[in-house]
Amino acid sequence: MFQAFLIKYAEIGIKGKNRYLFEDALVRHMERALKDVDGSFQISREMGRIYVHTEGEFDYDGAVEALQRVFGIAGICPAVIVEDEGYEKLAAAVVDYVKKVYPDSRQTFKVCARRANKTYPLNSMELNMELGGEILEACPGMTVDVHHPDIYLTVEVRQKIYIYSEEIPGPGGMPVGTNGSAMLLLSGGIDSPVAGYMIAKRGVKIDAVYFHAPPYTSDRAKQKVVDLARLVARYSGPIRLHVVNFTEIQLAIYEKCPHDELTIIMRRYMMKIAEAFAEKDGALGLITGESIGQVASQTMHSLACTNAVCTMPVFRPLIGFDKQEIVDIALKIDTYETSVLPYEDCCTIFVAKHPVTKPNLSRIEHSERKLADVIDGMIKTAIETAETIEV
Ligand code: ATP
Ligand code: MG
């Protein structure tokens, strides 16, 4: 029954002179999201509002789901559009709308008419009164409540007339690309896809690095990460995924460094390499899925040691989250099921039985010196031989 969606956006509204940049980006992302949905959609901007107009039959659920993945959208209001053919026809359309959307209703309502077309014979107040009266008469269960109505029925009189009352929540956030870009360290776990989602939600374009260790990690483990990147990309837009062969470096660490320090040292080299890709791609920071205390490599001491190799800011959006809170987001964005597939990632193969939980930076640096002859060459090779997948 709907012919359009009115798109409500929250924070874009406060961006002052740059507002049009945010709106342009939002429209672009909406177009991208709707491209694969059945139907014909035109996005238009009128007087500080964004509408999606549809033509003929379209996949309503598909369109709503697609729009619910566009950061920057706070609410999606399905609207009925009627031609301006006089008050009688409008009143009939409004009553028809209420009957269809609230079939067995004993609810309170308020009509909120807005007259963008000032030549319309009734003003907003008159429309509120008259249309309210029609609804009361046609729908006996309904009563008016002007302060806290269950149903807030908007009637916007423009060239055509828009009727809407439902607001489907959007994902919030800001349009991707309006806030620079960052490099996500993406593993096959639960956390890092959620971390990428959260930073992208704030308008940041993301690219990603995955470290694999063939033959210790399988092609299926790699495919799982590609799949996760694709799931995140449904929200964030295209991701350049760099797949780095980390085997040689891992074996060298395993051979030369104390085993209780393996994970920390490995994480430090991952950060270094990720930073090199960030610089190449013009990203301004790194993103990880770390959360304080979750595992030995994420205690405050460990995080401080890992952080010490980075010159770029490292964003850890999950830092204060409990596992269950992270799982809840993973379920919401549909990455959970893929994340829990049992393919090993490179960290689980070279883990010590008793990893340090309070690593000491100078001791770690001392251990790393044992790799001094070989590590620079290995890092260079790892960067040069990385495979880049456009997801
Ligand atoms: P996740 O669920 O994201 O894998 P985790 O709880 O398993 O996290 P760790 O294995 O300690 O935690 O990894 C911490 C962070 O380091 C990850 O969130 C991710 O950002 C990064 N990371 C770990 N392993 C890899 C990898 N193989 N490739 C890329 N990044 C990785
Ligand atoms: Mg992991």
Side-chain angles (χ1 to χ4, degrees):
M1 68 180 273
F2 299 105
Q3 294 85 34
F5 297 100
L6 166 69
I7 301 301
K8 292 195 171 164
Y9 44 84
E11 284 179 59
I12 304 178
I14 56 176
K15 296 295 170 216
K17 272 198 306 218
N18 289 332
R19 178 171 166 151
Y20 76 96
L21 292 174
F22 288 82
E23 288 179 347
D24 286 351
L26 184 60
V27 169
R28 251 193 342 269
H29 290 299
M30 286 167 59
E31 280 166 352
R32 174 178 56 75
L34 289 167
K35 208 172 58 203
D36 299 327
V37 180
D38 280 341
S40 146
F41 305 96
Q42 286 86 41
I43 300 171
S44 66
R45 289 155 59 167
E46 294 165 40
M47 314 207 315
R49 288 173 169 248
I50 297 180
Y51 292 95
V52 179
H53 286 267
T54 63
E55 221 171 79
E57 293 283 300
F58 70 101
D59 175 1
Y60 175 85
D61 292 332
V64 169
E65 272 169 36
L67 293 170
Q68 281 187 300
R69 289 193 296 266
V70 178
F71 293 134
I73 294 182
I76 304 155
C77 305
V80 164
I81 302 181
V82 292
E83 298 290 336
D84 176 9
E85 295 172 328
Y87 173 76
E88 296 301 319
K89 286 257 172 70
L90 171 61
V94 168
V95 166
D96 187 51
Y97 175 99
V98 172
K99 283 189 165 167
K100 273 195 186 133
V101 179
Y102 308 100
D104 48 9
S105 130
R106 309 193 60 77
Q107 298 184 74
T108 59
F109 75 96
K110 172 184 179 175
V111 179
C112 174
R114 289 204 203 118
R115 204 172 50 137
N117 166 13
K118 299 290 178 202
T119 63
Y120 198 79
L122 280 76
N123 68 26
S124 304
M125 286 296 279
E126 289 164 341
L127 277 171
N128 289 344
M129 299 274 292
E130 295 296 326
L131 292 172
E134 308 273 358
I135 294 168
L136 286 174
E137 202 166 297
C139 313
M142 292 277 194
T143 49
V144 172
D145 181 344
V146 290
H147 299 296
H148 304 288
D150 302 324
I151 303 163
Y152 199 86
L153 181 73
T154 305
V155 178
E156 278 186 22
V157 181
R158 300 163 173 267
Q159 292 290 76
K160 295 184 180 180
I161 301 170
Y162 296 70
I163 307 166
Y164 59 88
S165 60
E166 295 284 283
E167 181 171 335
I168 302 160
M174 290 192 260
V176 170
T178 55
N179 225 337
S181 74
M183 185 62 65
L184 169 67
L185 283 86
L186 180 63
S187 69
I190 295 170
D191 307 330
S192 43
V194 173
Y197 164 88
M198 287 183 66
I199 297 293
K201 180 167 182 255
R202 298 305 300 164
V204 179
K205 154 129 182 44
I206 55 173
D207 291 312
V209 194
Y210 165 60
F211 297 90
H212 70 155
Y216 302 96
T217 63
S218 64
D219 266 356
R220 284 167 86 188
K222 172 181 154 191
Q223 185 56 44
K224 172 177 159 182
V225 174
V226 175
D227 292 344
L228 284 170
R230 192 161 290 135
L231 291 169
V232 174
R234 279 156 42 108
Y235 294 90
S236 68
I239 294 175
R240 279 164 71 82
L241 173 64
H242 305 285
V243 179
V244 178
N245 186 326
F246 204 53
T247 314
E248 207 189 6
I249 295 174
Q250 253 184 333
L251 288 172
I253 301 170
Y254 194 72
E255 202 174 294
K256 303 238 166 87
C257 302
H259 282 191
D260 61 347
E261 293 173 356
L262 286 183
T263 312
I264 294 291
I265 295 175
M266 193 183 75
R267 308 267 310 113
R268 283 165 54 90
Y269 288 120
M270 282 186 182
M271 292 297 223
K272 250 196 179 141
I273 294 173
E275 209 168 61
F277 282 104
E279 266 160 26
K280 271 193 184 178
D281 287 1
L284 298 173
L286 304 178
I287 307 165
T288 75
E290 291 159 313
S291 144
I292 297 172
Q294 199 188 74
V295 286
S297 59
Q298 296 176 29
T299 62
M300 282 304 274
H301 298 75
S302 298
L303 289 168
C305 276
T306 312
N307 215 63
V309 285
C310 303
T311 55
M312 281 187 183
V314 182
F315 301 111
R316 300 178 171 90
L318 310 180
I319 200 69
F321 280 29
D322 294 345
K323 193 72 187 187
Q324 189 57 48
E325 293 171 303
I326 302 170
V327 166
D328 289 345
I329 301 176
L331 286 168
K332 186 180 85 180
I333 66 173
D334 234 13
T335 52
Y336 183 78
E337 254 179 59
T338 305
S339 288
V340 296
L341 293 173
Y343 315 125
E344 77 290 0
D345 76 21
C346 62
C347 315
T348 54
I349 290 186
F350 297 94
V351 283
K353 275 216 186 72
H354 301 289
V356 280
T357 53
K358 291 187 181 162
N360 171 289
L361 182 56
S362 48
R363 208 171 309 148
I364 296 280
E365 285 170 343
H366 179 261
S367 303
E368 285 176 352
R369 259 175 244 133
K370 301 194 176 112
L371 302 167
D373 300 342
V374 290
I375 195 70
D376 288 346
M378 286 180 175
I379 290 178
K380 191 161 170 276
T381 306
I383 293 170
E384 283 169 2
T385 59
E387 175 195 5
T388 298
I389 303 171
E390 304 284 342
V391 177

